[in-house]
Amino acid sequence: MNAYEDYMKQMAKPMREQLTTEGFDSLETPEEVESYFDKIKDNETTFVVVNSICGCAAGLARPAAVAVATQNDHKPDHSVTVFAGQEREATAKMREYIGQEPSSPSMALFKGKDLVYFMPRLHIEGRHVEEIAMDLKDAFDEHCQ
């Protein structure tokens, strides 16, 4: 690993931990992403956060994701994250499952392997964290019963 990659990993560490300390599993290789989806049952829900170093991830996406995933009455069965710009291959594999234009940060909700909700960066930046959280809450209330 070169000095730049090492520096970026160290910078990203607290950003990753903001999710993993709240129960999100970090999927860091394409094999981990595939293995995860191979094991998921059709009736189980999975909340995915495509994490990023950018400001809208730090000030909006991660706080909203953590708040709703940990406090909402209806919660997904599983919460996972991939880190765009850090684990590029894992992120690319997750984006294959998501099936939308690449966007980071972004958030997705799956029922089994079916995407039932997607929030791209376009619906994150420039909004209030409470608005983002309410959109996630509505998706969880509809699909995570």
Side-chain angles (χ1 to χ4, degrees):
M1 182 178 314
N2 67 37
Y4 173 77
E5 290 170 339
D6 188 47
Y7 172 77
M8 292 307 293
K9 285 233 179 268
Q10 289 305 313
M11 258 192 77
K13 185 177 181 196
M15 299 172 199
R16 181 188 322 277
E17 289 174 350
Q18 191 175 359
L19 296 174
T20 58
T21 59
E22 296 295 338
F24 284 75
D25 291 323
S26 183
L27 304 177
E28 299 179 12
T29 67
E31 295 78 17
E32 287 177 354
V33 173
E34 285 181 355
S35 176
Y36 176 81
F37 278 102
D38 285 346
K39 295 177 192 170
I40 199 74
K41 296 181 176 82
D42 287 344
N43 63 336
E44 291 180 316
T45 53
T46 302
F47 179 42
V48 177
V49 175
V50 178
N51 203 350
S52 173
I53 289 179
C54 72
C56 65
L60 300 170
R62 288 192 302 268
V66 167
V68 179
T70 61
Q71 298 172 17
N72 197 50
D73 290 339
H74 298 108
K75 295 177 180 67
D77 297 306
H78 310 279
S79 295
V80 301
T81 183
V82 294
F83 209 121
Q86 295 299 302
E87 290 85 35
R88 294 170 199 252
E89 294 84 9
T91 302
K93 180 55 71 179
M94 180 62 75
R95 286 177 172 155
E96 288 178 22
Y97 284 96
I98 292 173
Q100 302 289 316
E101 287 294 315
S103 181
S104 56
S106 62
M107 296 178 267
L109 185 64
F110 287 86
K111 187 140 197 157
K113 293 179 186 164
D114 296 325
L115 180 71
V116 295
Y117 178 80
F118 181 67
M119 181 184 290
R121 178 185 181 119
L122 174 70
H123 295 152
I124 295 170
E125 63 185 347
R127 298 180 71 203
H128 294 283
V129 69
E130 296 83 7
E131 294 172 316
I132 297 163
M134 288 307 296
D135 286 351
L136 292 173
K137 178 189 181 332
D138 290 345
F140 287 11
D141 288 349
E142 180 178 349
H143 300 287
C144 302
Q145 307 256 344

